[in-house]
Structures are given as structure tokens and as C-alpha cells.
């Protein structure tokens, strides 16, 4: 059993540039949050062995209580620094979640043959109840301001899941095995949320303080309150073939998956004047992680390994995307549905080679990924107010490809000093839909180059490591209004593991993070991060006592960047646990 109480202060700064025909727009936002969480978790496993059967039972239980408060400010500007809108939000989230799960698995060996049967079932129950308050004041340059005081009440949300699988493993010959499995899964999800506009009461209570039930129920926003009941049935047939032949002077390892999934899904959705039933039945086909690997060992103890993998994955869109609604809960970010969505198919191909010998090791790999009918959340930008309207569409043209090469070799006869180095390269072709008056196809290419080098030294029970990896990223587009740009980041790390007297072990690492090319000048920084740990075993190794020091210099920040066909987003996060 584990009980955990966690309190943390979170500070986030985000800068975003929206790629729009006729002139980009810029957004800046700051968020401060205080999150308090208490969780209780327990997990058990019981195993029983019989003559020809093994049975495993695993019950689980978790409870989480949440109390989160936040303050969010944002603004949107044109390229000429003209204000589109300014926004201030105060948020409060209080609630709890209860999860229970039970898993049973049995392996049955058949008499007189090597075949076996596996039976497995899993049941999950999830109950979630949250009250959410949002006090927002949006000011526009081209229209009157819109202050809102919202109360979101859940009733609560409930999720049930039952899954069962039966698998039969058949030995066809000494080097071949066929596994055939049939599974059934049922999901039942109920969500109901009512939105109340407390600002209609013209009261001035603190956030989270509710008037009487009879008062706030008169302020219900029916157009943005909803009741959703989703029930889904999944039927899956999966044959899997394992084959280990001796061919072409080496030993092969071949695994071929074929997944046939029949989805039968129903959604009953009510929101305002919308009361609809969506039914979607489709057959999906996947190949799983199918692969072929060839190994050969020469007389001078050199091993050659060639690897090829192919995967086709298909995914059906969320049924909620099919509902014809206009969600204006957030006046700055409006969401709409689309009833004409199709399934998404992703293909992944990888080819690799590995050479293992006493002199040096070599690894090389190349891959290609393509998505057909990718689900894109289009963004239509109102150039007068900065309001965005999102709507899902299927789009083609998203793909990426790359390679990596790595070589390692000892620098001395005793192999105490070793070096590893090699480059990696990737190109990503991103396609999306964006625009101001009408949606237009937007394409952005990203080229990433990242060489790396590592030097390691081992002496008796001590070890040292020096690692460096610079990364360059170039972003470019054929759009006439797109200005190409480059980002640079690097990480250099020194690691030491020392065995001290009295069985004390000291491990420490010092890293330098460097970033250049960001729009926000505060993100173009050099940060030193130092971590250390002291440990000592007791009771003949049955008890281990550790003392950890994390970010001893207090300079660690989490900076992320996202660039796609809609825009560039830079996020700076500082987390202060307490």
C-alpha cells in the first residue's frame, strides 16, 4: 500500500506564433498554479500453481483527492503589435477519483503435447467527480469585453471496462509456433456536466463559493451543458506466427502479427437542442510489430545482425468528433464537430544493421513513417478578435524519415577507456489546415541533425562518463509569408560513480544545458544542473539507505518547443515541489 501527499507550485510561460496567410499573429501567456493531491494506492498479486495450470490473481485499488488553484493571463497581438485581445482567468478544481481493477490470468498445459492455452480477463471501474470553477475576463480591441463566472458540475463520470482473451499456442514444428487469440472488450462511459453562469447573479463571492442551489440552477447554460453515454464493443482476432529457420548462412527470427478488429460503437449525446445517436461500425486491420531478423557469426567471433520491421496501425476517430455541435465554453477557443471523418492509417518501416566484435561495435538504422487520413484539428483564426475555432478534418501528407549511426570502440587493450560516437538525422513533413477567413493547407518542414559523443572510463569499482549531444533544427516552408528559422540546443554531462570506504557509494552528475534561437529571450540561456546520491546497504543488502540531492544549484527549467504547420509554441515550466 502506498499513500502520497503532494503539493507543488507550477509556473508556466508560453510564447506562440500562429502561421497565417497575410500576416502571423503572436500570443503570450503566463500561468501560475498550486496543486495539492492526496493519493492512496494498493496492488496485490496471488499466484497458484497446479499440476497443469498456473493461476494469477491481481486486485488493484486507488483513490485520489485533488485541490488545484490557478491564475492564467494571456494576450494576442498582430505582427504590428496591435492588441487583439487580453484575457485573465482564475481557476479552481476540487474533486476525487476512485479506481478499482481485477485481473485473472491462467496458463493451461495440454497433456502429451507442448501446446498450451492462456486465458485472461480484466475488469475496471472508474468513478470521477469534480467541481470546476472558472472566472474569466476577456477584453477585445474590436468588441465589448465578456466577463464570465462559470461553475462546471459533474454528476459524476463513470467508466466500466470488461476484457477477456483466449489464446491457443500450437507448436507446428521445432522452429515454428502459431499463436491464435480471440478477445472481446466492452466499454461503458457515462459523462454528465452542467455549466452554470454565476455572473448572471451579479454577486461578488470568492471563487468556489456557491449561492443556494435554487439560485445557481437558474443560471444553467443549456447550450454548453451535456450528457454523454458511450458504449463500445471490440472483437479482435489475432494470429501470430513465430518462425526460426536456418537460411542464407545464418539464423532467422521472424514474427508476423495480423490483427483484425471489429468495432461496434454507440454514442447518445445531448447538449442544448442537440439530441443525437451516433452509431459507427468498422473493421480495422493491423500488422502489429511484424519483423524479420538475420544473425550470422563468423569464425573470428564477429556477429552480423540485419533487422527489418513493418507496422500498419489503424485507428477510428472519437465518436464525439462526429456530433454537430458548437462548444463556446471558452469564448477564445471554440470547438465544432465533423460528421464526415474517416479512419486513420499509419505505416512504419525500419531497416537496421548491427556489427558486434572485439575491435568495435557498429549500429545503423533508417526508418520511414507515413500517416494516411491523419486527424488534424484545423484552426480558423478571427483576425479582429484573436478567437480560434477548431474543427477536426482528415488530411494527407504527414510523414517523417530519418537515420542514426553509432559506433563504439575501446581505446586501450584492457577496455577501460571506451568511446561512442555517431550522428542522427530526421526530416519531418507536417501538414495542417489553418487560416483567417477560410481554411488553407499549410506545410512546414523540419530538419533535425544531432551528432553525439561519449567517453567512458572504468577503474576497479569506480566509473566516469563524459557525454555531449548538440542539436540543430531548421524550420522551413514554401509559403511566401513564412520566415525560415533555426534552433540550437545542447547537453553536456559528466557522471561519476565512486565506491567509498564503509560500503558507501557516491554517484553524481553535472550537466550543462544550452539553448539558442528562441523568440522569448529568457529561454536563450545556459543552465547548470547538479545531482548527487549517497547510498549504503545494511542487513546484508536487504536494506538500502539513500540520500538524494536533486538540482542542487536550483537552475533546472523545463523548456519545450513545438513547431508544426499551424505555428510555433515555446513553453517554459518551473515546478517547485513542497
Amino acid at each position: 500500500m502506498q499513500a502520497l501527499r503532494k503539493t507543488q507550485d507550477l509556473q508556466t510561460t508560453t510564447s506562440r506564433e500562429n502561421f497565417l496567410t497575410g500576416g502571423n499573429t503572436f500570443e503570450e501567456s503566463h500561468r501560475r498554479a498550486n496543486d495539492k493531491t492526496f493519493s492512496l494506492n494498493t496492488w496485490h498479486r496471488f499466484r497458484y500453481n497446479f499440476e497443469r495450470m498456473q493461476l494469477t490473481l491481481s486486485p488493484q485499488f486507488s483513490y485520489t483527492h485533488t485541490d488545484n488553484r490557478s491564475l492564467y493571463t494571456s494576450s494576442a497581438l498582430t505582427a504590428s503589435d496591435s492588441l487583439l485581445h487580453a484575457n485573465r482567468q482564475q481557476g479552481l478544481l476540487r474533486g476525487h477519483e476512485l479506481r478499482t481493477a481485477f485481473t485473472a490470468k491462467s496458463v493451461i498445459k495440454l497433456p502429451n503435447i507442448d501446446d498450451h492455452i492462456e486465458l485472461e480477463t480484466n475488469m475496471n471501474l472508474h468513478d470521477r467527480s469534480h467541481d470546476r470553477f472558472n472566472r474569466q475576463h476577456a477584453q477585445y480591441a474590436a468588441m465589448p469585453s465578456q466577463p464570465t463566472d462559470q461553475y462546471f458540475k459533474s454528476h459524476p463520470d463513470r467508466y466500466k471496462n470488461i476484457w477477456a482473451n483466449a489464446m491457443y499456442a500450437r507448436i507446428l514444428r521445432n522452429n515454428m509456433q502459431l499463436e491464435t487469440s480471440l478477445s472481446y472488450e466492452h466499454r461503458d462511459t457515462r459523462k454528465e456536466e452542467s455549466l452554470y453562469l454565476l455572473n448572471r447573479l451579479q454577486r461578488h463571492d470568492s471563487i468556489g463559493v456557491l449561492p443556494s442551489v435554487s439560485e445557481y440552477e437558474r443560471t444553467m447554460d443549456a447550450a454548453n451543458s451535456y450528457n454523454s453515454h458511450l458504449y463500445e464493443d471490440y472483437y479482435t482476432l489475432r494470429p501470430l506466427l513465430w518462425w526460426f529457420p536456418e537460411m542464407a548462412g545464418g539464423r532467422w527470427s521472424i514474427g508476423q502479427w495480423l490483427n483484425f478488429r471489429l468495432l461496434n460503437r454507440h454514442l447518445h449525446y445531448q447538449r442544448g437542442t442537440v439530441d443525437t445517436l451516433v452509431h459507427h461500425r468498422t473493421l480495422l486491420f493491423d500488422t502489429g510489430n511484424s519483423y524479420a531478423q538475420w544473425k550470422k557469426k563468423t569464425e573470428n567471433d564477429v556477429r552480423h545482425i540485419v533487422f527489418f520491421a513493418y507496422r500498419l496501425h489503424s485507428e477510428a476517430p472519437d465518436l464525439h468528433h462526429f456530433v454537430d455541435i458548437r462548444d463556446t465554453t471558452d469564448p477564445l477557443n471554440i470547438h465544432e464537430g465533423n460528421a464526415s471523418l474517416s479512419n486513420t492509417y499509419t505505416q512504419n518501416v525500419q531497416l537496421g544493421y548491427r556489427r558486434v566484435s572485439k575491435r568495435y561495435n557498429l549500429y545503423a538504422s533508417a526508418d520511414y513513417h507515413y500517416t494516411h487520413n491523419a486527424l488534424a484539428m484545423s484552426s480558423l483564426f478571427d483576425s479582429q478578435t484573436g478567437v480560434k475555432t477548431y474543427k477536426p478534418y482528415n488530411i494527407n501528407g504527414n510523414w517523417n524519415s530519418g537515420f542514426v549511426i553509432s559506433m563504439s570502440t575501446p581505446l586501450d587493450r584492457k577496455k577501460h577507456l571506451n568511446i561512442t560516437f555517431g550522428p542522427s538525422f530526421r526530416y519531418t513533413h507536417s501538414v495542417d489546415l489553418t487560416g483567417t477567413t477560410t481554411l488553407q493547407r499549410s506545410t512546414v518542414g523540419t530538419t533535425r541533425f544531432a551528432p553525439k559523443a561519449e567517453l567512458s572510463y572504468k577503474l576497479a569499482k569506480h566509473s566516469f562518463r563524459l557525454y555531449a549531444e548538440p542539436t540543430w533544427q531548421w524550420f522551413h516552408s514554401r509559403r511566401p509569408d513564412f520566415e525560415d528559422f533555426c534552433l540550437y540546443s545542447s547537453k553536456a554531462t559528466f557522471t561519476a560513480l565512486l565506491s567509498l570506504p564503509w560500503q558507501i557509494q557516491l554517484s553524481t552528475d553535472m550537466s550543462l544545458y544550452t539553448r539558442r534561437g528562441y523568440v522569448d529571450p529568457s529561454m536563450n540561456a545556459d543552465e547548470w544542473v547538479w545531482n548527487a546520491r549517497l547510498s549504503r546497504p545494511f542487513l546484508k543488502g536487504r536494506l538500502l539507505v539513500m540520500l538524494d540531492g536533486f538540482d542542487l544549484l536550483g537552475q533546472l527549467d523545463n523548456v519545450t518547443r513545438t513547431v508544426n504547420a499551424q505555428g510555433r509554441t515555446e513553453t517554459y515550466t518551473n515546478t517547485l515541489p513542497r
Side-chain angles (χ1 to χ4, degrees), residues 12-63:
T12 303
T13 299
T14 301
S15 300
R16 177 171 174 82
E17 179 181 1
N18 300 297
F19 301 150
L20 299 171
T21 302
N24 295 348
T25 60
F26 301 85
E27 300 174 28
E28 184 84 16
S29 65
H30 304 273
R31 182 178 183 270
R32 296 190 63 179
N34 176 256
D35 298 341
K36 298 179 181 179
T37 303
F38 172 77
S39 61
L40 184 67
N41 301 281
T42 179
W43 177 81
H44 306 276
R45 173 180 288 177
F46 304 95
R47 181 171 293 173
Y48 304 93
N49 293 313
F50 303 95
E51 182 179 358
R52 293 190 175 277
M53 185 181 73
Q54 183 183 85
L55 177 63
T56 304
L57 305 177
S58 303
Q60 301 177 51
F61 169 84
S62 68
Y63 171 81

Side-chain angles (χ1 to χ4, degrees), residues 16-28 74-86 140-142 381-388 436 519:
R16 177 171 174 82
E17 179 181 1
N18 300 297
F19 301 150
L20 299 171
T21 302
N24 295 348
T25 60
F26 301 85
E27 300 174 28
E28 184 84 16
S74 65
S75 61
L77 304 171
T78 65
S80 59
D81 289 337
S82 298
L83 180 68
L84 294 174
H85 70 247
Y140 305 91
F381 194 88
D382 189 328
S383 58
Q384 300 297 318
T385 63
V387 174
K388 295 179 182 178
T436 51
V519 174

